[in-house]
Amino acid sequence: MNHPAPHTLHTVTGELRAASVRGPALAHEHLVLDLDRVGDGAAVLGPERHAAAVTAELATLREEYGLALVVELTCRGMGRDIRALSRIARETGVAVVAATGWYYEPFHTAEIDALDVAALTGILVREIEDGIDGSGVRPGVLGEIGSHGDVPTAAEAKVLRAGARAALATGLSVATHAQLGRGGLAQLELLTGEGLPAHRVSIGHQDLLDDPGVHRELAASGAYVAFDTVGKTAYQSEETRLRLLLALLEAGHADRALLSCDISRHGYLRDEGGQGYGHLFASFLPRLRAAGADDDLIDLLTRRNPVRFLTGATVEEN
């Protein structure tokens, strides 16, 4: 198939030149989602019930902080709704990159057991070529492709391999879900073992893993290290997140860090008293500035890195 034009992003409202992204990006978010497995409705961002609050938050962030782009990593089996994403993007003026892939095993859909890696790869490539759910809207990233534990299960390994092969076939990058930050090195080994270059990979939820050595190893390989649950203090304190990020920056890997909030429950929305999508800008980045970060470093972390990850650029060009 034809790969994306160099330095071009697939968004839910059309092609976007990477150079036109002049404001910050959120590198791992959910705008519409359904991960409810217990029936309480908590792990839901409904396209009808919560879309107005999501839209209002993003519009405010565009106005106050110049938010330009959201990488929306809700994939197959996670309640993805491409038409709702398109509406949110149009109403807010914030570009949204949609995703394809499969989450970690508890959320796998039936075809994963039934099909081999080649057939799963074909499903992903067709979505990337033809669009999602008959909408004609093409995903711009593979993710969040998941595993849990230190080593992916057999089913998770199959999905990671399919994601890597689809990435190679289409020119997209892969963002992972490493449950509680664990298993990132094993994920990277599987992905690169299929021939995918490490710089096309972002390993997720690394701010939940208090192991700076793993973060350095991932970054030294060329992979992106996602500190993408900023504000989720029930999982990790902001003090620990900041310490881990500063350790990665001080080790010389500022060009491999990604930041986001991973809003994945309606209770996280500002409208319901949660930290909201803007917690990164309103709370965490001021802490980072107080620790010595200047405007150029903030721009690298929040704009240039996520754009470079999505386009697969090997050097900083924007």
Side-chain angles (χ1 to χ4, degrees):
M1 67 166 291
N2 292 326
H3 287 192
H7 318 306
T8 300
L9 308 177
H10 294 319
T11 81
V12 297
T13 52
E15 302 295 286
L16 178 68
R17 286 192 318 112
S20 69
V21 179
R22 304 315 305 167
L26 289 167
H28 181 140
E29 293 301 339
H30 303 281
L31 307 180
V32 182
L33 178 82
D34 187 349
L35 297 180
D36 185 14
R37 297 170 62 215
V38 296
D40 64 1
V44 172
L45 292 165
E48 303 301 333
R49 181 179 173 190
H50 306 114
V54 170
T55 299
E57 281 201 39
L58 296 190
T60 297
L61 294 176
R62 183 172 185 264
E63 180 179 345
E64 293 185 356
Y65 299 100
L67 178 66
L69 178 70
V70 173
V71 184
E72 214 280 1
L73 292 179
T74 306
C75 60
R76 300 170 66 89
M78 296 178 73
R80 184 181 60 181
D81 187 326
I82 197 65
R83 291 170 177 81
L85 295 184
S86 299
R87 287 195 300 271
I88 291 168
R90 286 194 301 269
E91 291 175 14
T92 60
V94 176
V96 175
V97 172
T100 187
W102 289 275
Y103 196 32
Y104 76 115
E105 188 166 9
F107 297 92
H108 282 183
T109 49
E111 68 264 33
I112 293 172
D113 284 337
L115 300 177
D116 63 11
V117 173
L120 294 174
T121 302
I123 290 173
L124 300 180
V125 170
R126 282 192 295 276
E127 281 205 335
I128 295 164
E129 287 182 326
D130 301 334
I132 297 169
D133 297 335
S135 67
V137 175
R138 299 167 65 187
V141 68
L142 288 136
E144 58 179 303
I145 296 179
S147 70
H148 65 299
D150 293 327
V151 178
T153 67
E156 289 167 346
K158 186 159 61 169
V159 166
L160 285 159
R161 292 186 191 282
R165 293 184 190 182
L168 285 166
T170 62
L172 298 188
S173 295
V174 175
T176 78
H177 166 90
Q179 181 81 350
L180 299 178
R182 296 171 58 194
L185 290 170
Q187 290 181 341
L188 185 62
E189 183 178 5
L190 275 169
L191 293 165
T192 57
E194 292 292 327
L196 186 65
H199 72 271
R200 300 311 306 252
V201 177
S202 166
I203 301 297
H205 309 325
Q206 291 307 289
D207 50 332
L208 302 182
L209 181 72
D210 192 349
D211 192 336
V214 168
H215 300 158
R216 289 193 301 271
E217 187 172 349
L218 291 169
S221 77
Y224 290 85
V225 182
F227 287 68
D228 53 15
T229 67
V230 173
K232 290 187 171 181
T233 54
Y235 294 92
Q236 185 71 280
S237 72
E238 296 290 77
E239 290 77 16
T240 299
R241 278 193 182 87
L242 182 60
R243 170 173 57 78
L244 292 170
L245 178 60
L246 289 172
L248 187 64
L249 302 180
E250 289 163 5
H253 297 300
D255 63 343
R256 285 296 175 267
L258 299 175
L259 302 177
S260 210
C261 298
D262 188 24
I263 299 301
S264 56
R265 290 171 172 259
H266 61 82
Y268 291 143
L269 297 173
R270 291 295 302 274
D271 187 57
E272 299 191 19
Q275 69 270 31
Y277 299 96
H279 180 85
L280 174 67
F281 306 114
S283 180
F284 190 77
L285 292 181
R287 288 172 178 253
L288 187 58
R289 288 184 185 277
D294 61 14
D295 288 346
D296 184 71
L297 177 57
I298 298 295
D299 184 68
L300 176 68
L301 295 172
T302 62
R303 183 180 68 87
R304 281 135 56 200
N305 283 355
V307 169
R308 187 167 7 91
F309 162 66
L310 289 170
T311 62
T314 55
V315 295
E316 191 173 322
E317 297 175 350
N318 54 316

